[in-house]
Amino acid sequence: MRRLFPVTDETAARTLGGGGEGQGASGAAGAQGVRAGEAPAGTRGAAAQEDRDWSLAELAAAYAYPEPEPEPEQGARRPWLRANMVSTLDGAAQHEGRSQPISSAADMRIFGTLRALADVVVVGAETVRQEGYHPAKARAEFAAARQAAGQGPAPAIAVVTASLDLDFSLPLFTSPVVPTIVLTGAAAAPERVAAAEKAGARVVVAGEGMGVEPARAVRALADLGHTRLLTEGGPRLLGQLIAAEVLDELCLTVSPMLTAGDAQRIAGGPSVAVPRRFELVSLLAEDGFLFSRYRRP
């Protein structure tokens, strides 16, 4: 990856509100802004490299999940849920129903890296239908790291669906590297549950009625041993996760494009009572695209 420049926690603290003269809401325009060909002051290790290609190992290190913390009462690993989304400058999360037209090669490289780090990828049924989801691939570049982390060869895909209105003849269900998970409610139609199971999917109940309860879904995945969670949306699912306060991290690609129209934002659904504030962890840039990471305080 070329022309990719990091802003670390330390740099972000100085640049985005350190309180010094010339700093403030303008963000990267502050005194410690990143310039082409130069890594920001305060970076360490791989992040301090100058303008050059980043290896997949360096990207994986930059996006590593935090060290797992035990649950206060249960002693198990606490699940960590991150989202990966892309948005245009005018706030569109899609163009003509798909995210690919507003993405880039660098964005897809980070997309693949985030998948390679995850135990499971959580996605809404509508996104599966619109984006033509396929099972995650086992990638040789990450095989050793996944084995060392106690992970399988590829992340599982977990589809969130109330109706189970899915095409179970697709490769996502018939030929995944690891079985696809279907998260649904206790009131789901028995014939659809049977169809999912016949196709090879593992059906997990994560709600009392027709729908899925976000906190219960996160807990159910953790109980299966999946604690490094990644969601790729869509907007309705991400909105539900935000409203339920189970989202720990947002990886947001800002695409240097304008689309107008009435495309969805990255998160939809009812608004929260009080806006949730996240903290900037890192900011990378390439060819006008910004790759940001925010975490809950």
Side-chain angles (χ1 to χ4, degrees), residues 182-212:
V182 172
L183 295 166
T184 192
E191 65 274 14
R192 297 305 297 165
V193 171
E197 293 177 335
K198 184 178 180 180
R202 180 170 188 172
V203 178
V204 176
V205 173
E208 293 302 323
M210 286 290 295
V212 172

PDB file of all heavy atoms in Angstrom, residues 182-212:
ATOM      1  N   VAL A 182     -26.436 -18.494  11.256  1.00  0.00           N
ATOM      2  CA  VAL A 182     -27.640 -17.698  11.063  1.00  0.00           C
ATOM      3  C   VAL A 182     -28.159 -17.297  12.436  1.00  0.00           C
ATOM      4  O   VAL A 182     -28.503 -18.148  13.254  1.00  0.00           O
ATOM      5  CB  VAL A 182     -28.723 -18.476  10.292  1.00  0.00           C
ATOM      6  CG1 VAL A 182     -30.028 -17.689  10.269  1.00  0.00           C
ATOM      7  CG2 VAL A 182     -28.261 -18.758   8.866  1.00  0.00           C
ATOM      8  N   LEU A 183     -28.175 -15.986  12.697  1.00  0.00           N
ATOM      9  CA  LEU A 183     -28.686 -15.446  13.956  1.00  0.00           C
ATOM     10  C   LEU A 183     -30.121 -14.998  13.733  1.00  0.00           C
ATOM     11  O   LEU A 183     -30.395 -14.155  12.872  1.00  0.00           O
ATOM     12  CB  LEU A 183     -27.839 -14.254  14.408  1.00  0.00           C
ATOM     13  CG  LEU A 183     -26.378 -14.552  14.783  1.00  0.00           C
ATOM     14  CD1 LEU A 183     -25.576 -13.258  14.868  1.00  0.00           C
ATOM     15  CD2 LEU A 183     -26.302 -15.307  16.094  1.00  0.00           C
ATOM     16  N   THR A 184     -31.039 -15.542  14.520  1.00  0.00           N
ATOM     17  CA  THR A 184     -32.447 -15.218  14.336  1.00  0.00           C
ATOM     18  C   THR A 184     -33.161 -15.247  15.678  1.00  0.00           C
ATOM     19  O   THR A 184     -32.548 -15.475  16.727  1.00  0.00           O
ATOM     20  CB  THR A 184     -33.095 -16.193  13.334  1.00  0.00           C
ATOM     21  OG1 THR A 184     -34.387 -15.705  12.959  1.00  0.00           O
ATOM     22  CG2 THR A 184     -33.215 -17.598  13.915  1.00  0.00           C
ATOM     23  N   GLY A 185     -34.476 -14.991  15.635  1.00  0.00           N
ATOM     24  CA  GLY A 185     -35.259 -14.976  16.860  1.00  0.00           C
ATOM     25  C   GLY A 185     -35.962 -16.295  17.110  1.00  0.00           C
ATOM     26  O   GLY A 185     -36.084 -17.143  16.221  1.00  0.00           O
ATOM     27  N   ALA A 186     -36.445 -16.452  18.342  1.00  0.00           N
ATOM     28  CA  ALA A 186     -37.099 -17.704  18.730  1.00  0.00           C
ATOM     29  C   ALA A 186     -38.379 -17.949  17.946  1.00  0.00           C
ATOM     30  O   ALA A 186     -38.819 -19.099  17.806  1.00  0.00           O
ATOM     31  CB  ALA A 186     -37.396 -17.678  20.228  1.00  0.00           C
ATOM     32  N   ALA A 187     -38.983 -16.875  17.429  1.00  0.00           N
ATOM     33  CA  ALA A 187     -40.241 -17.026  16.700  1.00  0.00           C
ATOM     34  C   ALA A 187     -40.054 -17.203  15.200  1.00  0.00           C
ATOM     35  O   ALA A 187     -41.021 -17.117  14.441  1.00  0.00           O
ATOM     36  CB  ALA A 187     -41.143 -15.814  16.972  1.00  0.00           C
ATOM     37  N   ALA A 188     -38.837 -17.448  14.761  1.00  0.00           N
ATOM     38  CA  ALA A 188     -38.590 -17.639  13.325  1.00  0.00           C
ATOM     39  C   ALA A 188     -39.376 -18.846  12.808  1.00  0.00           C
ATOM     40  O   ALA A 188     -39.613 -19.818  13.529  1.00  0.00           O
ATOM     41  CB  ALA A 188     -37.098 -17.842  13.080  1.00  0.00           C
ATOM     42  N   ALA A 189     -39.772 -18.778  11.554  1.00  0.00           N
ATOM     43  CA  ALA A 189     -40.565 -19.853  10.950  1.00  0.00           C
ATOM     44  C   ALA A 189     -39.785 -21.164  10.970  1.00  0.00           C
ATOM     45  O   ALA A 189     -38.665 -21.230  10.447  1.00  0.00           O
ATOM     46  CB  ALA A 189     -40.930 -19.483   9.512  1.00  0.00           C
ATOM     47  N   PRO A 190     -40.358 -22.210  11.543  1.00  0.00           N
ATOM     48  CA  PRO A 190     -39.638 -23.495  11.648  1.00  0.00           C
ATOM     49  C   PRO A 190     -39.174 -24.049  10.308  1.00  0.00           C
ATOM     50  O   PRO A 190     -38.097 -24.645  10.217  1.00  0.00           O
ATOM     51  CB  PRO A 190     -40.674 -24.413  12.308  1.00  0.00           C
ATOM     52  CG  PRO A 190     -41.593 -23.495  13.040  1.00  0.00           C
ATOM     53  CD  PRO A 190     -41.668 -22.249  12.211  1.00  0.00           C
ATOM     54  N   GLU A 191     -39.980 -23.843   9.252  1.00  0.00           N
ATOM     55  CA  GLU A 191     -39.584 -24.388   7.956  1.00  0.00           C
ATOM     56  C   GLU A 191     -38.352 -23.678   7.391  1.00  0.00           C
ATOM     57  O   GLU A 191     -37.525 -24.276   6.702  1.00  0.00           O
ATOM     58  CB  GLU A 191     -40.740 -24.319   6.957  1.00  0.00           C
ATOM     59  CG  GLU A 191     -41.209 -22.930   6.573  1.00  0.00           C
ATOM     60  CD  GLU A 191     -42.244 -22.369   7.545  1.00  0.00           C
ATOM     61  OE1 GLU A 191     -42.409 -22.935   8.639  1.00  0.00           O
ATOM     62  OE2 GLU A 191     -42.889 -21.370   7.160  1.00  0.00           O
ATOM     63  N   ARG A 192     -38.213 -22.373   7.709  1.00  0.00           N
ATOM     64  CA  ARG A 192     -37.040 -21.639   7.251  1.00  0.00           C
ATOM     65  C   ARG A 192     -35.809 -22.046   8.058  1.00  0.00           C
ATOM     66  O   ARG A 192     -34.701 -22.140   7.528  1.00  0.00           O
ATOM     67  CB  ARG A 192     -37.273 -20.138   7.352  1.00  0.00           C
ATOM     68  CG  ARG A 192     -38.393 -19.609   6.466  1.00  0.00           C
ATOM     69  CD  ARG A 192     -38.199 -19.990   5.012  1.00  0.00           C
ATOM     70  NE  ARG A 192     -36.981 -19.416   4.439  1.00  0.00           N
ATOM     71  CZ  ARG A 192     -36.431 -19.808   3.287  1.00  0.00           C
ATOM     72  NH1 ARG A 192     -36.969 -20.805   2.599  1.00  0.00           N
ATOM     73  NH2 ARG A 192     -35.339 -19.232   2.832  1.00  0.00           N
ATOM     74  N   VAL A 193     -36.002 -22.273   9.351  1.00  0.00           N
ATOM     75  CA  VAL A 193     -34.902 -22.758  10.191  1.00  0.00           C
ATOM     76  C   VAL A 193     -34.419 -24.106   9.673  1.00  0.00           C
ATOM     77  O   VAL A 193     -33.215 -24.356   9.544  1.00  0.00           O
ATOM     78  CB  VAL A 193     -35.347 -22.866  11.664  1.00  0.00           C
ATOM     79  CG1 VAL A 193     -34.283 -23.574  12.498  1.00  0.00           C
ATOM     80  CG2 VAL A 193     -35.638 -21.477  12.240  1.00  0.00           C
ATOM     81  N   ALA A 194     -35.373 -24.978   9.341  1.00  0.00           N
ATOM     82  CA  ALA A 194     -35.016 -26.298   8.826  1.00  0.00           C
ATOM     83  C   ALA A 194     -34.268 -26.188   7.502  1.00  0.00           C
ATOM     84  O   ALA A 194     -33.306 -26.930   7.253  1.00  0.00           O
ATOM     85  CB  ALA A 194     -36.280 -27.148   8.657  1.00  0.00           C
ATOM     86  N   ALA A 195     -34.683 -25.245   6.653  1.00  0.00           N
ATOM     87  CA  ALA A 195     -34.014 -25.053   5.367  1.00  0.00           C
ATOM     88  C   ALA A 195     -32.576 -24.585   5.560  1.00  0.00           C
ATOM     89  O   ALA A 195     -31.662 -25.025   4.850  1.00  0.00           O
ATOM     90  CB  ALA A 195     -34.791 -24.055   4.514  1.00  0.00           C
ATOM     91  N   ALA A 196     -32.385 -23.702   6.519  1.00  0.00           N
ATOM     92  CA  ALA A 196     -31.038 -23.203   6.805  1.00  0.00           C
ATOM     93  C   ALA A 196     -30.143 -24.335   7.306  1.00  0.00           C
ATOM     94  O   ALA A 196     -28.991 -24.483   6.874  1.00  0.00           O
ATOM     95  CB  ALA A 196     -31.097 -22.075   7.824  1.00  0.00           C
ATOM     96  N   GLU A 197     -30.673 -25.119   8.215  1.00  0.00           N
ATOM     97  CA  GLU A 197     -29.883 -26.221   8.776  1.00  0.00           C
ATOM     98  C   GLU A 197     -29.597 -27.294   7.729  1.00  0.00           C
ATOM     99  O   GLU A 197     -28.498 -27.869   7.702  1.00  0.00           O
ATOM    100  CB  GLU A 197     -30.609 -26.805   9.979  1.00  0.00           C
ATOM    101  CG  GLU A 197     -30.679 -25.842  11.162  1.00  0.00           C
ATOM    102  CD  GLU A 197     -31.466 -26.389  12.328  1.00  0.00           C
ATOM    103  OE1 GLU A 197     -32.344 -27.260  12.095  1.00  0.00           O
ATOM    104  OE2 GLU A 197     -31.228 -25.943  13.462  1.00  0.00           O
ATOM    105  N   LYS A 198     -30.557 -27.539   6.850  1.00  0.00           N
ATOM    106  CA  LYS A 198     -30.351 -28.516   5.782  1.00  0.00           C
ATOM    107  C   LYS A 198     -29.230 -28.079   4.850  1.00  0.00           C
ATOM    108  O   LYS A 198     -28.469 -28.913   4.316  1.00  0.00           O
ATOM    109  CB  LYS A 198     -31.650 -28.716   5.007  1.00  0.00           C
ATOM    110  CG  LYS A 198     -31.551 -29.790   3.921  1.00  0.00           C
ATOM    111  CD  LYS A 198     -32.886 -29.976   3.208  1.00  0.00           C
ATOM    112  CE  LYS A 198     -32.780 -31.040   2.122  1.00  0.00           C
ATOM    113  NZ  LYS A 198     -34.081 -31.232   1.416  1.00  0.00           N
ATOM    114  N   ALA A 199     -29.100 -26.754   4.650  1.00  0.00           N
ATOM    115  CA  ALA A 199     -28.050 -26.227   3.781  1.00  0.00           C
ATOM    116  C   ALA A 199     -26.680 -26.256   4.450  1.00  0.00           C
ATOM    117  O   ALA A 199     -25.665 -25.982   3.797  1.00  0.00           O
ATOM    118  CB  ALA A 199     -28.390 -24.793   3.372  1.00  0.00           C
ATOM    119  N   GLY A 200     -26.642 -26.548   5.754  1.00  0.00           N
ATOM    120  CA  GLY A 200     -25.364 -26.627   6.459  1.00  0.00           C
ATOM    121  C   GLY A 200     -25.089 -25.483   7.399  1.00  0.00           C
ATOM    122  O   GLY A 200     -24.025 -25.437   8.037  1.00  0.00           O
ATOM    123  N   ALA A 201     -26.037 -24.541   7.503  1.00  0.00           N
ATOM    124  CA  ALA A 201     -25.834 -23.401   8.395  1.00  0.00           C
ATOM    125  C   ALA A 201     -26.092 -23.800   9.848  1.00  0.00           C
ATOM    126  O   ALA A 201     -26.863 -24.726  10.127  1.00  0.00           O
ATOM    127  CB  ALA A 201     -26.759 -22.254   7.998  1.00  0.00           C
ATOM    128  N   ARG A 202     -25.460 -23.079  10.747  1.00  0.00           N
ATOM    129  CA  ARG A 202     -25.707 -23.266  12.170  1.00  0.00           C
ATOM    130  C   ARG A 202     -26.653 -22.167  12.634  1.00  0.00           C
ATOM    131  O   ARG A 202     -26.314 -20.981  12.600  1.00  0.00           O
ATOM    132  CB  ARG A 202     -24.407 -23.193  12.964  1.00  0.00           C
ATOM    133  CG  ARG A 202     -24.599 -23.381  14.461  1.00  0.00           C
ATOM    134  CD  ARG A 202     -23.268 -23.543  15.172  1.00  0.00           C
ATOM    135  NE  ARG A 202     -23.447 -23.913  16.567  1.00  0.00           N
ATOM    136  CZ  ARG A 202     -22.458 -24.262  17.387  1.00  0.00           C
ATOM    137  NH1 ARG A 202     -21.207 -24.278  16.938  1.00  0.00           N
ATOM    138  NH2 ARG A 202     -22.699 -24.590  18.636  1.00  0.00           N
ATOM    139  N   VAL A 203     -27.863 -22.513  13.035  1.00  0.00           N
ATOM    140  CA  VAL A 203     -28.867 -21.539  13.449  1.00  0.00           C
ATOM    141  C   VAL A 203     -28.734 -21.289  14.948  1.00  0.00           C
ATOM    142  O   VAL A 203     -28.736 -22.226  15.749  1.00  0.00           O
ATOM    143  CB  VAL A 203     -30.294 -22.019  13.109  1.00  0.00           C
ATOM    144  CG1 VAL A 203     -31.333 -21.003  13.589  1.00  0.00           C
ATOM    145  CG2 VAL A 203     -30.424 -22.256  11.599  1.00  0.00           C
ATOM    146  N   VAL A 204     -28.608 -20.004  15.304  1.00  0.00           N
ATOM    147  CA  VAL A 204     -28.449 -19.604  16.705  1.00  0.00           C
ATOM    148  C   VAL A 204     -29.565 -18.637  17.053  1.00  0.00           C
ATOM    149  O   VAL A 204     -29.753 -17.616  16.376  1.00  0.00           O
ATOM    150  CB  VAL A 204     -27.080 -18.937  16.942  1.00  0.00           C
ATOM    151  CG1 VAL A 204     -26.958 -18.432  18.374  1.00  0.00           C
ATOM    152  CG2 VAL A 204     -25.951 -19.917  16.626  1.00  0.00           C
ATOM    153  N   VAL A 205     -30.314 -18.932  18.080  1.00  0.00           N
ATOM    154  CA  VAL A 205     -31.395 -18.057  18.530  1.00  0.00           C
ATOM    155  C   VAL A 205     -30.806 -16.949  19.397  1.00  0.00           C
ATOM    156  O   VAL A 205     -30.112 -17.214  20.384  1.00  0.00           O
ATOM    157  CB  VAL A 205     -32.461 -18.851  19.316  1.00  0.00           C
ATOM    158  CG1 VAL A 205     -33.492 -17.899  19.924  1.00  0.00           C
ATOM    159  CG2 VAL A 205     -33.139 -19.855  18.392  1.00  0.00           C
ATOM    160  N   ALA A 206     -31.087 -15.691  19.009  1.00  0.00           N
ATOM    161  CA  ALA A 206     -30.544 -14.548  19.737  1.00  0.00           C
ATOM    162  C   ALA A 206     -31.620 -13.484  19.931  1.00  0.00           C
ATOM    163  O   ALA A 206     -31.362 -12.286  19.813  1.00  0.00           O
ATOM    164  CB  ALA A 206     -29.346 -13.970  18.994  1.00  0.00           C
ATOM    165  N   GLY A 207     -32.840 -13.927  20.222  1.00  0.00           N
ATOM    166  CA  GLY A 207     -33.939 -13.005  20.459  1.00  0.00           C
ATOM    167  C   GLY A 207     -35.192 -13.773  20.818  1.00  0.00           C
ATOM    168  O   GLY A 207     -35.368 -14.911  20.377  1.00  0.00           O
ATOM    169  N   GLU A 208     -36.042 -13.165  21.608  1.00  0.00           N
ATOM    170  CA  GLU A 208     -37.248 -13.848  22.068  1.00  0.00           C
ATOM    171  C   GLU A 208     -38.352 -13.871  21.026  1.00  0.00           C
ATOM    172  O   GLU A 208     -39.131 -14.807  20.964  1.00  0.00           O
ATOM    173  CB  GLU A 208     -37.764 -13.188  23.353  1.00  0.00           C
ATOM    174  CG  GLU A 208     -36.842 -13.375  24.551  1.00  0.00           C
ATOM    175  CD  GLU A 208     -36.594 -14.844  24.873  1.00  0.00           C
ATOM    176  OE1 GLU A 208     -37.535 -15.661  24.733  1.00  0.00           O
ATOM    177  OE2 GLU A 208     -35.455 -15.187  25.226  1.00  0.00           O
ATOM    178  N   GLY A 209     -38.441 -12.827  20.203  1.00  0.00           N
ATOM    179  CA  GLY A 209     -39.496 -12.771  19.199  1.00  0.00           C
ATOM    180  C   GLY A 209     -38.977 -13.117  17.826  1.00  0.00           C
ATOM    181  O   GLY A 209     -38.194 -14.042  17.651  1.00  0.00           O
ATOM    182  N   MET A 210     -39.410 -12.338  16.827  1.00  0.00           N
ATOM    183  CA  MET A 210     -38.964 -12.568  15.460  1.00  0.00           C
ATOM    184  C   MET A 210     -37.548 -12.043  15.233  1.00  0.00           C
ATOM    185  O   MET A 210     -36.777 -12.624  14.482  1.00  0.00           O
ATOM    186  CB  MET A 210     -39.921 -11.880  14.482  1.00  0.00           C
ATOM    187  CG  MET A 210     -41.262 -12.577  14.334  1.00  0.00           C
ATOM    188  SD  MET A 210     -41.125 -14.163  13.468  1.00  0.00           S
ATOM    189  CE  MET A 210     -40.596 -13.625  11.843  1.00  0.00           C
ATOM    190  N   GLY A 211     -37.234 -10.919  15.878  1.00  0.00           N
ATOM    191  CA  GLY A 211     -35.967 -10.249  15.616  1.00  0.00           C
ATOM    192  C   GLY A 211     -34.822 -10.725  16.490  1.00  0.00           C
ATOM    193  O   GLY A 211     -34.979 -11.549  17.394  1.00  0.00           O
ATOM    194  N   VAL A 212     -33.655 -10.166  16.199  1.00  0.00           N
ATOM    195  CA  VAL A 212     -32.436 -10.474  16.929  1.00  0.00           C
ATOM    196  C   VAL A 212     -32.112  -9.325  17.870  1.00  0.00           C
ATOM    197  O   VAL A 212     -32.168  -8.159  17.473  1.00  0.00           O
ATOM    198  CB  VAL A 212     -31.258 -10.712  15.957  1.00  0.00           C
ATOM    199  CG1 VAL A 212     -29.935 -10.847  16.697  1.00  0.00           C
ATOM    200  CG2 VAL A 212     -31.527 -11.947  15.102  1.00  0.00           C
TER     201      VAL A 212
END
